[in-house]
Amino acid sequence: MIARIRRSLSDITLRCVLGFLEFHGRRGSASTPERHLQRPRLEPGIATRADVLVTYCTGRRVVHVGFCDWPLTEARIEDGTLLHLRLKGVCRTLVGIDASEEGVRRYQEAYPDDDTHLCSVYDLSPVADSIASCEIVLLGEVIEHLAAPLRALEEIAGLLSPGGEVMASVPNAFSLKTFALALSGVESVHPDHVAWYSPHTLINLMGRAGLHPVRLQSCQYGTGKQYWAHLQSYPWLADCILGTFRLAAQPVGNSVSPAPEADPTHAETSEA
């Protein structure tokens, strides 16, 4: 009973705080130049990022960039949370590429028959045929690690066939959990990350590589479930942004138009 009361009070408090911040955010937008107010369409979602990726890739031909999740490869193989292993069971075809020599070696020792390659995302010529014939190039929590993300995306876009998609997920710069920790003077971030992405900056980066947004949605990493109900109303505070992109007829440059309606996904956990 006491625990239930505490959860109710916590829920009420959070609703009040979010409402207060939303009120002041709307007031602040009135004094912000219109050209700085970006409004890409972000669909609300409270499913875990891994579940969304696995469901979308089911029955598809997929190239998985950064499949090892090094240095966590062995631990995630042991506990069954390595995303590549989940994809292996549902994809029509699955090719894994990773720049970590140690990670690829450890994975290949455990699964020697899998189609995996040691390959830099800046030079994908060894897997050019795989990318040209795939339906999805999956970049799960990869872009924020890259020193030259545009160069990598241009490499992928140059090999992608018409109709092929790039599916990318990144930690959300506006995550509620990140914001809450920041209030205490702590930044919750992977030590290897070099950038934060928002809905606008992710679309903008992809656009400069000639990739146009099809769908943009919010997802969770699998913790803090007591707050998930609020994220249907505030999707911009979710843990993760997940976008699906296709080759544009012409590179969209700096434009940030709302994502159009996409074909329904097949249906809807671990942070990099």
Side-chain angles (χ1 to χ4, degrees):
M1 174 64 75
I2 294 177
R4 192 178 305 119
I5 292 173
R6 285 176 177 171
R7 283 196 297 270
S8 297
L9 290 174
S10 176
D11 186 69
I12 293 170
T13 301
L14 181 58
R15 287 181 182 275
C16 291
V17 170
L18 291 175
F20 174 80
L21 293 174
E22 180 183 7
F23 172 75
H24 282 277
R26 292 184 183 279
R27 289 186 61 185
S29 67
S31 60
T32 302
E34 182 62 30
R35 67 181 182 276
H36 292 161
L37 296 175
Q38 312 300 334
R39 299 178 179 87
R41 181 173 152 214
L42 182 64
E43 297 181 18
I46 57 174
T48 65
R49 159 259 194 190
D51 287 346
V52 176
L53 294 178
V54 168
T55 301
Y56 195 80
C57 292
T58 296
R60 315 286 285 278
R61 298 186 300 273
V62 178
V63 173
H64 186 192
V65 179
F67 79 96
C68 289
D69 203 3
W70 183 257
L72 303 175
T73 311
E74 290 181 315
R76 293 196 168 161
I77 287 176
E78 290 176 4
D79 65 17
T81 60
L82 187 68
L83 177 61
H84 197 72
L85 291 181
R86 292 188 62 184
L87 292 171
K88 178 181 174 182
V90 300
C91 292
R92 181 178 174 186
T93 63
L94 180 63
V95 176
I97 67 171
D98 203 292
S100 169
E101 183 175 357
E102 185 70 6
V104 172
R105 183 181 68 80
R106 299 285 181 90
Y107 184 90
Q108 290 178 341
E109 287 174 353
Y111 300 95
D113 296 330
D114 284 8
D115 191 356
T116 56
H117 305 266
L118 178 64
C119 184
S120 168
V121 73
Y122 301 118
D123 179 12
L124 295 172
S125 54
V127 291
D129 290 343
S130 296
I131 292 177
S133 62
C134 79
E135 296 172 84
I136 301 171
V137 175
L138 178 59
L139 296 161
E141 275 62 30
V142 169
I143 298 173
E144 66 276 9
H145 293 264
L146 301 178
L150 179 57
R151 179 181 158 199
L153 292 171
E154 288 175 336
E155 177 78 3
I156 293 170
L159 297 172
L160 200 65
S161 295
E165 297 179 338
V166 174
M167 195 170 196
S169 57
V170 292
N172 182 15
F174 304 133
S175 163
L176 178 61
K177 287 183 283 187
T178 300
F179 173 72
L181 281 170
L183 294 176
S184 64
V186 176
E187 182 177 1
S188 174
V189 62
H190 190 291
D192 189 52
H193 288 187
V194 295
W196 281 103
Y197 287 95
S198 68
H200 166 80
T201 56
L202 180 61
I203 292 175
N204 208 7
L205 175 66
M206 290 289 185
R208 295 185 183 192
L211 295 163
H212 188 75
V214 176
R215 186 182 186 192
L216 209 65
Q217 65 187 106
S218 62
C219 300
Q220 297 303 105
Y221 282 127
T223 59
K225 294 184 179 181
Q226 65 271 29
Y227 303 121
W228 287 11
H230 299 288
L231 300 179
Q232 292 283 26
S233 300
Y234 298 98
W236 287 62
L237 300 180
D239 291 345
C240 169
I241 305 164
L242 196 158
T244 306
F245 302 83
R246 291 179 186 160
L247 289 171
Q250 296 291 332
V252 293
N254 293 326
S255 69
V256 188
S257 57
E261 285 288 347
D263 294 336
T265 58
H266 309 294
E268 279 283 295
T269 45
S270 59
E271 183 175 1

